[in-house]
Amino acid sequence: MPLRTRLAYAAPGFAFALIGVPVYIHLPKLYGDVLGVDLALIGLIILLSRLWDALTDPAIGYLSDHTRTRLGRRRPFLLAGAPVLAGGAVLLLAPPASLDASATTWWFGLLLLAVFLAWTVVQIPHAALGAELAPGHHERTALFALRDGLWILGTLAAAMAPSAARAVLGVPAGGSSERQVFGALAWVYGPVLLLLPWWCALGVREPVVPTASPDTPHGATVEAWGNRPFRIVLTAYGIGALGSALPATLVLFYVEHVLRVPHLADAFLGLYFLVGFLCLPGWTAVSRRIGKKRAWLAAMLVSVGAFSGAAFLGRGDTWAFAAICLVSGIGFGAGLVLPSSLVADVIDYDEWRSGRRREGLYYGLWSIVTKVSAALGASVALPLLKWAGYQPQGAQPETVVLTLKLLYAAVPCVCYLAAFGVAARFPIDERAHRAVREAIARRAQGLPAEDPLMRGR
């Protein structure tokens, strides 16, 4: 695959991060502390928007699987969805100053639904396209590493952008100036969210996929859930994603109210994402040597070892938390790339079972778990903070500090350990994947082919 094709495919990963980071990290504090929206309502809105995705994600995936146009199955969705995604993001980050708290709540809720729908229209076909472009067992890991590496760079940029905007605008952190900061960022993020998906759509040619017999959305979903390797990787990833979502939602609260160094929050985030990006080539090499599953399991143990220490920190433990960010960042990139690559292998097994290429459906179902886990992190953590006695822009009682430690560190470690136990049962390694591809080739030639995962049992 030429480098220009790989870069064109991977580029939207950078754009997706620019909206993902604000929604889960920055916007809860902006809309809660500055704009007066109730924290519990923010958590509920995020959860409802993700439940809405539970309908739209597999629907868009199924629709893209069955779309036939001159441009292919996936690229028309990128071209149509990018303008809506860009416009919605601008409006979400820059709400009108004339709105009162009630109107701002509606603004946040309705725009979040629109942005997430547009995100689905672009992101699901984009993920499906990657599995089609790279059929090789390790080739797809390398392609996804490039895509997710750019996603991490976008995350790093989005994490550091508020500080950079404050420096350019000459305004302090916190308070009403945050409206000005995110209003300025909106007009930077918008063009990127438009142009990078369009670059992918215009710069990548889709592989030709043979036409298969039609299926129904319900039947296809039932068949996907009947795919045992998919159930395993989906369950493990969902549990681990919930563990990741809690720290992502609470990191700004943790740094401000546990460590008491809010001015260092962006630096901690930058360190975490930068280390994750730098370690991606290493994890790609490790997965080639020991296998994707074992590398993913190792990354989970790294995350447990890192996050467990955060439960014991307190005011002024700056260097200790920096070390935790560094170690946890090592496992971060692997948790993005390797599960996605395993899903692509699962889709090949589905092709042997069904005779169809259904990347859109599988990544649609995968996306539901990703988004619902992230939404559960916000919808559970933010109300618990409020019930523990959280006070916007003020000193917090000890119950809030203890709640932050438990939710930020202890609960994620339990999630990672549970995910480890489930993922250890995943049955497709490089040898099994090669057998899957051989069985697909035999079937295409009209020859009998036994279940490739049952060989040797």
Side-chain angles (χ1 to χ4, degrees):
M1 191 184 306
L3 178 61
R4 65 178 182 275
T5 301
R6 285 181 281 152
L7 286 174
Y9 170 74
F14 184 91
F16 297 149
L18 295 184
I19 190 62
V21 170
V23 167
Y24 292 114
I25 297 180
H26 295 129
L27 290 187
K29 280 189 71 69
L30 172 67
Y31 275 83
D33 284 1
V34 179
L35 305 182
V37 179
D38 185 270
L39 272 184
L41 272 179
I42 292 175
L44 178 61
I45 289 169
I46 293 175
L47 177 61
L48 291 176
S49 65
R50 301 286 75 172
L51 294 177
W52 164 243
D53 284 337
L55 297 175
T56 60
D57 283 6
I60 294 298
Y62 176 87
L63 185 60
S64 71
D65 285 340
H66 292 77
T67 295
R68 295 293 185 270
T69 71
R70 181 173 55 86
L71 293 174
R73 300 193 293 173
R74 319 298 182 187
R75 293 188 292 168
F77 289 87
L78 274 70
L79 291 171
V84 181
L85 178 61
V90 169
L91 296 175
L92 185 62
L93 292 170
S98 59
L99 300 179
D100 59 20
S102 177
T104 301
T105 302
W106 281 101
W107 181 274
F108 178 72
L110 294 176
L111 274 172
L112 199 61
L113 288 174
V115 166
F116 280 157
L117 176 58
W119 193 352
T120 293
V121 170
V122 175
Q123 189 267 330
I124 299 299
H126 178 259
L129 179 60
E132 294 173 325
L133 290 173
H137 185 72
H138 294 298
E139 180 190 13
R140 58 186 31 150
T141 301
L143 181 63
F144 291 167
L146 179 58
R147 178 196 68 190
D148 293 337
L150 290 179
W151 185 92
I152 294 175
L153 283 182
T155 301
L156 177 61
M160 304 299 291
S163 292
R166 293 183 196 107
V168 171
L169 297 172
V171 298
S176 60
S177 63
E178 293 298 282
R179 181 191 288 272
Q180 184 180 356
V181 168
F182 285 95
L185 290 177
W187 295 103
V188 177
Y189 293 174
V192 177
L193 287 164
L194 174 66
L195 295 177
L196 292 189
W198 277 7
W199 178 21
C200 177
L202 299 176
V204 174
R205 287 185 176 275
E206 294 188 30
V208 177
V209 177
T211 302
S213 58
D215 56 2
T216 64
H218 177 265
T221 302
V222 170
E223 287 185 15
W225 184 247
N227 187 334
R228 178 176 173 270
F230 182 61
R231 286 201 312 272
I232 292 173
V233 71
L234 185 68
T235 303
Y237 182 76
I239 297 171
L242 178 58
S244 300
L246 288 168
T249 300
L250 296 173
V251 61
L252 298 184
F253 297 92
Y254 180 90
V255 171
E256 180 174 351
H257 301 300
V258 176
L259 303 180
R260 307 287 183 88
V261 286
H263 58 286
L264 294 178
D266 288 345
F268 289 137
L269 287 171
L271 174 63
Y272 174 75
F273 292 124
L274 180 61
V275 171
F277 171 73
L278 294 176
C279 289
L280 270 180
W283 282 115
T284 303
V286 168
S287 73
R288 285 181 177 273
R289 186 172 184 83
I290 68 173
K292 300 178 191 179
K293 182 182 80 172
R294 290 178 179 176
W296 185 26
L297 294 176
M300 291 185 200
L301 293 181
V302 170
S303 296
V304 170
F307 274 105
S308 59
F312 304 100
L313 302 186
R315 182 171 186 171
D317 290 332
T318 304
W319 288 107
F321 188 68
I324 288 173
C325 290
L326 189 153
V327 175
S328 59
I330 293 174
F332 166 63
L336 286 177
V337 174
L338 298 175
S340 294
S341 187
L342 291 174
V343 172
D345 296 343
V346 166
I347 293 169
D348 290 338
Y349 182 55
D350 174 73
E351 183 180 1
W352 175 84
R353 297 172 75 239
S354 68
R356 301 179 178 91
R357 293 298 302 182
R358 300 191 286 203
E359 290 89 349
L361 173 69
Y362 272 82
Y363 280 109
L365 296 172
W366 181 259
S367 182
I368 291 174
V369 172
T370 303
K371 294 174 181 178
V372 170
S373 296
L376 283 174
S379 62
V380 170
L382 297 178
L384 284 177
L385 273 190
K386 179 185 177 183
W387 295 332
Y390 180 79
Q391 301 294 324
Q393 297 183 341
Q396 306 300 326
E398 190 61 29
T399 53
V400 170
V401 175
L402 177 60
T403 301
L404 280 170
K405 289 183 178 181
L406 289 174
L407 293 177
Y408 184 84
V411 176
C413 287
V414 173
C415 291
Y416 289 134
L417 289 174
F420 181 97
V422 176
R425 302 167 58 203
F426 186 75
I428 302 179
D429 56 12
E430 183 175 6
R431 181 177 176 181
H433 183 254
R434 185 163 50 246
V436 169
R437 299 302 306 176
E438 290 172 356
I440 292 172
R442 286 182 60 84
R443 177 168 289 177
Q445 297 169 9
L447 300 174
E450 64 179 3
D451 189 333
L453 298 189
M454 298 302 293
R455 292 184 182 180
R457 292 191 178 183

